[in-house]
Amino acid sequence: MNKIAILTSGGDAPGMNAAVRAVVRMALYHGLEVYGIEQGYKGLLNSEIFKMDRKSVSDIIQRGGTVLRTARCPEFKNEEVRKHAANILKEKDIDALVVIGGDGSFTGAKLLSKLGVKTIGLPGTIDNDLAYTDFTIGFDTAINTVMDAIHKLRDTSTSHDRVSIIEVMGRNCGDIALYSGLAGGAEAIIVPEVGFDKDELCKTILEGKSKGKQHNLVVLAEGVGGAEELAKYVEDVTGLDARATILGHIQRGGSPTVSDAVLASRLGARAVELLMEGKTCRVVGIKDNKIIDMDIDEALAVERKFDKDLYDVATILSY
């Protein structure tokens, strides 16, 4: 193996640049040529491929987003499209591909491996929704971004005796809401894995008011419903002033935390080692602070288990 390429796919996540840097520098250390692919699988199909060196990844470890840029590519589901992508890599004598992204990106990597391209996947998604790994690149930064918003909203909510409903990302995975809600002292955490009763929430808010609480913070995962609709319902039922704050894509941005930068660097370095060992169709992750790798199919088949114990602790501590 002499040449490898790297791309970032799907939604961006803080720490992707740290992973790109690790892959490039580890590969160069071992005498390999490295090529960057811009705009994910879409860029691969358009041959947006360029050679990278140490300078290509200088001063990017602290930057959010992805210097390679990213894009969705639904047409990659078509087998003929994938064959075209594999041929582009083969024409450039690129032997292997490192893909940073989520489950959809991993599926693309798996299908490319069946066409003779060695592939390794790195988990880059703020949702922390890949069950085979304890944490994904970008998750820690995202929850710290939410924490900063919670602290600011708490100040203004207290000043106005207000109910503040904060909508965070997480369509099918409530980890952002759970971790930030627990750390931020939210009175209620609403996640898709558990669900909620609107009237019970209103009852809890009123009980808190009767006990002297000046404000209420509710953290809502987007997969459960909309913050604006819930705020209106709470206001109508309780008579209290309720406001919605939708954090949106601010959760994707910002410099990676130490945890994300270190995780991304460890995973990126291991990806290159696996390729040099001749491995393919693997993903890298972390379990009990140890770097692990496993078959992509096996990784995607791991059943995700919501941390109900942590949720119960958060609920108890909210009283």
Side-chain angles (χ1 to χ4, degrees):
M1 185 179 69
N2 298 309
K3 299 179 181 180
I4 70 171
I6 181 170
L7 62 79
T8 51
S9 175
D12 61 310
M16 280 185 165
N17 283 330
V20 170
R21 173 181 179 269
V23 170
V24 171
R25 292 198 169 174
M26 180 62 81
L28 293 174
Y29 175 81
H30 287 289
L32 304 176
E33 290 185 19
V34 192
Y35 292 82
I37 300 174
E38 296 184 307
Q39 294 193 317
Y41 291 120
K42 178 181 176 182
L44 172 55
L45 293 172
N46 293 329
S47 293
E48 296 178 44
I49 303 171
F50 65 100
K51 191 171 183 179
M52 301 185 77
D53 55 23
R54 290 183 63 83
K55 188 176 180 181
S56 303
V57 292
S58 294
D59 296 323
I60 69 167
I61 192 170
Q62 79 284 3
R63 292 170 56 184
T66 163
V67 293
L68 294 178
R69 295 182 293 158
T70 183
R72 308 286 182 182
C73 188
E75 59 267 34
F76 211 73
K77 296 177 182 178
N78 186 298
E79 185 177 1
E80 291 304 313
V81 171
R82 294 194 301 273
K83 287 180 179 178
H84 176 59
N87 287 334
I88 289 173
L89 292 173
K90 290 172 184 176
E91 288 170 2
K92 295 182 180 295
D93 296 320
I94 294 174
D95 310 292
L97 177 67
V98 176
V99 174
I100 307 173
D103 54 359
S105 304
F106 284 179
T107 299
K110 176 190 73 173
L111 295 171
L112 273 179
S113 72
K114 294 181 178 181
L115 297 173
V117 180
K118 290 184 174 65
T119 57
I120 301 291
L122 302 184
T125 167
I126 67 168
D127 287 348
N128 205 43
D129 58 353
L130 292 169
Y132 79 93
T133 181
D134 286 341
F135 298 107
T136 57
I137 297 168
F139 173 65
D140 189 69
T141 307
I143 57 177
N144 275 279
T145 296
V146 175
M147 276 296 300
D148 182 62
I150 286 175
H151 291 325
K152 290 179 169 63
L153 286 166
R154 183 184 295 280
D155 292 342
T156 185
S157 294
T158 304
S159 299
H160 292 271
D161 295 339
R162 180 176 289 158
V163 178
S164 185
I165 299 175
I166 306 160
E167 182 180 316
V168 301
M169 286 186 169
R171 287 190 178 87
N172 302 308
C173 175
D175 279 9
I176 292 178
L178 174 59
Y179 279 73
S180 62
L182 172 57
E187 277 68 40
I189 300 170
I190 303 172
V191 294
E193 294 90 343
V194 178
F196 78 112
D197 183 290
K198 290 188 291 185
D199 293 318
E200 280 298 316
L201 175 63
C202 292
K203 180 181 176 182
T204 299
I205 290 171
L206 288 173
E207 287 177 352
K209 185 72 174 176
S210 69
K211 294 175 183 178
K213 282 193 175 184
Q214 292 181 299
H215 66 91
N216 279 271
L217 283 173
V218 178
V219 181
L220 168 72
E222 63 181 347
V224 188
E228 292 180 348
E229 293 84 355
L230 182 58
K232 185 177 186 308
Y233 187 88
V234 168
E235 190 166 280
D236 290 343
V237 172
T238 66
L240 300 174
D241 185 17
R243 300 292 175 87
T245 300
I246 302 172
L247 297 185
H249 285 83
I250 192 174
Q251 296 162 86
R252 291 196 183 279
S255 297
T257 59
V258 170
S259 293
D260 272 331
V262 171
L263 176 62
S265 298
R266 294 175 71 188
L267 299 184
R270 183 57 181 150
V272 175
E273 292 174 346
L274 288 171
L275 289 173
M276 293 185 66
E277 293 167 10
K279 303 290 180 61
T280 184
C281 201
R282 310 287 291 179
V283 292
V284 190
I286 187 166
K287 279 285 184 184
D288 300 323
N289 203 32
K290 294 181 180 179
I291 303 302
I292 56 117
D293 66 272
M294 62 192 304
D295 177 81
I296 290 182
D297 275 327
E298 293 178 6
L300 293 177
V302 174
E303 182 182 356
R304 185 178 169 275
K305 296 180 180 179
F306 180 68
D307 195 339
K308 187 63 165 51
D309 291 338
L310 190 62
Y311 178 84
D312 290 341
V313 167
T315 302
I316 291 169
L317 297 182
S318 69
Y319 289 122

